[in-house]
Amino acid sequence: MAVPMQHEDLLKLKGFIDFVDSNPTVLNMPQLQFVKNFVEKFGGTVPAGDFKMPDASAGCKCPFGGDAGAKDKKPASPGFEAENNASEDSEEESQSEPESDVELDMEGVIEADSDPAQPMGDSAKEPTEEEVDQSGDLRAQAASAYGDQKFDEAIALYTKAIELNPGNALFHAKRGQAFLKLKKPNACIRDCDKALELNCDSAAAYKFRGRARRLLGDFELAAKDLRQACKLDFDEEADEWLREVTPNAKKIEQHRVKQERRQAERKVKDHQMAQRRARKEQAKRSANSGGSGGPGGFPGGFPGGSFPGFPGGAGGAGGRTCPCGHKGDLLGAMEDPEVFAAVADIMENKANISKYVYNPKILNAIKKFVPGLDIGAAFGQAKPKSGAEEPSEPKTKKNDSSDFIDDELD
């Protein structure tokens, strides 16, 4: 009767038994518990004690290709899995580095005021002609007080004018200007917000609110307001304020774009790392799920978590998988799967941008998250050269055809 095993498997089994015979304590390892149970089932005993790999210098070597001294010494060249773990650790460290803050010129920034909100009047009130005239007189008095640098008096007079005619946007903007002189930017912003609610094209409201935001250190919004004020009604003072906040506003915008790009790249890398971990765990489960319960994890030997070629094993190192993963399988981590896959593809090779030159959605995302790419060159790669001519089929002359019959009508 033939043995239900291949000859090579029998040789490997014999090598394992010889190794166990010389080192019986190896059966005390948890991975070989099933072999120990088999021996004890037939009345055998296994010596107690922990297994220690014999010294290779004494001529004892694992019969399955392992280095006997591998447990106690560092391998000369890191294995595929060790390199993968090191790269993952370095990626995690680089991603956990604190993000640097943008350096801004904070000269002129003041502390925010916290006074109670000023009265805004009844927006539903319809003023009479007499009240409109009275509010105009109060505005003139307030302007005179402002010119005399009596800013508190000017605010009080503007408040009375607002109570008579609450729908006048200019009253709110001018009162906000007086609050600016008293270093109360939040009160100024409240008045300017109300003025823009009444009149969305109030250049004065944009101007004074932009200045107030500059005093609070909100340079990006300040630049936006001052730019709109100059667009609606150019003013030299507003233009000067805009030039003052523009350097800080540009730094903040560039820093924000950089942070958004880093977050997008981090999402891609996190997804790639998660995929690699999942594949590695799957490989381990596959290696440990052999039919004979192979002793995966044998120290210094049995590569791949099982005996190479042993029945029911995992086939040795064949169970390993490449850690880089499939470059296109990166969907689901970003809001738009199509954009996510395209960004991941281009991050691997910038030349791949030529695949997406006719997709506006992809191009916009690329410009935002992958700077430095030559979009024009990509278009040049995608389109045929202007000087190239399409090959044309030769025209067939009438007399050259073998099927032509002269009807003698010419």
Side-chain angles (χ1 to χ4, degrees), residues 15-302:
F16 171 69
I17 294 175
D18 292 341
F19 184 82
V20 172
D21 184 52
S22 302
N23 305 274
T25 55
V26 71
L27 297 182
N28 292 324
M29 297 182 63
Q31 296 93 330
L32 297 177
Q33 182 64 40
F34 70 101
V35 182
K36 182 178 180 181
N37 294 340
F38 179 79
V39 172
E40 293 176 346
K41 179 179 179 181
F42 291 93
T45 57
V46 177
D50 295 333
F51 169 71
K52 183 178 180 181
M53 180 65 71
D55 188 2
S57 60
C60 298
K61 187 176 181 181
C62 174
F64 302 99
D67 185 1
K71 182 177 180 180
D72 298 325
K73 67 179 181 180
K74 185 178 180 180
S77 58
F80 193 70
E81 184 175 355
E83 291 179 354
N84 187 24
N85 292 335
S87 63
E88 289 183 2
D89 293 340
S90 62
E91 288 181 5
E92 290 178 354
E93 290 176 1
S94 62
Q95 293 182 19
S96 61
E97 291 179 359
E99 298 174 348
S100 59
D101 295 329
V102 60
E103 295 182 0
L104 301 175
D105 181 8
M106 302 301 289
E107 183 180 357
V109 176
I110 64 175
E111 293 185 4
D113 54 300
S114 56
D115 294 344
Q118 62 270 33
M120 296 293 178
D122 184 6
S123 300
K125 179 181 178 180
E126 292 290 340
T128 63
E129 293 183 3
E130 182 180 356
E131 289 175 330
V132 171
D133 293 339
Q134 290 177 358
S135 65
D137 294 338
L138 289 170
R139 176 201 168 185
Q141 297 175 28
S144 177
Y146 183 89
D148 295 335
Q149 297 187 355
K150 299 177 181 179
F151 304 119
D152 287 319
E153 181 179 346
I155 290 173
L157 291 170
Y158 277 125
T159 301
K160 291 180 180 180
I162 288 171
E163 291 175 348
L164 291 173
N165 187 7
N168 191 309
L170 186 59
F171 292 172
H172 290 280
K174 299 299 287 184
R175 186 173 68 174
Q177 181 185 19
F179 277 122
L180 267 183
K181 292 295 184 178
L182 295 178
K183 305 296 183 184
K184 295 183 178 181
N186 280 331
C188 173
I189 291 174
R190 286 193 293 269
D191 261 331
C192 292
D193 287 344
K194 184 64 177 180
L196 291 171
E197 179 184 330
L198 298 170
N199 179 13
C200 62
D201 293 328
S202 174
Y206 279 115
K207 174 183 175 180
F208 299 133
R209 188 174 71 175
R211 184 61 178 176
R213 285 173 165 171
R214 182 261 179 272
L215 295 178
L216 292 174
D218 197 349
F219 297 102
E220 199 170 12
L221 290 178
K224 181 179 179 181
D225 279 345
L226 293 170
R227 198 176 294 114
Q228 182 66 16
C230 291
K231 181 179 179 180
L232 292 171
D233 184 12
F234 183 81
D235 180 271
E236 291 185 359
E237 186 177 40
D239 182 61
E240 181 182 352
W241 289 348
L242 176 59
R243 284 187 275 109
E244 180 183 336
V245 301
T246 297
N248 281 344
K250 284 186 176 180
K251 288 182 180 179
I252 295 173
E253 181 181 5
Q254 292 171 357
H255 182 72
R256 186 184 68 254
V257 172
K258 179 180 178 181
Q259 299 299 87
E260 291 175 353
R261 185 175 65 251
R262 289 185 63 181
Q263 290 174 4
E265 293 173 352
R266 187 178 295 112
K267 286 182 179 180
V268 174
K269 291 180 179 179
D270 288 345
H271 191 75
Q272 290 174 335
M273 291 174 61
Q275 284 188 323
R276 287 199 295 268
R277 292 193 185 100
R279 283 192 292 269
K280 197 158 61 172
E281 291 298 325
Q282 179 63 34
K284 289 181 180 179
R285 286 195 295 269
S286 299
N288 295 329
S289 62
S292 62
F298 192 77
F302 313 116

Side-chain angles (χ1 to χ4, degrees), residues 342-356:
V343 171
D345 186 25
I346 294 168
M347 285 177 64
E348 294 295 333
N349 185 354
K350 290 185 178 182
N352 291 340
I353 187 177
S354 59
K355 302 177 184 178
Y356 310 100

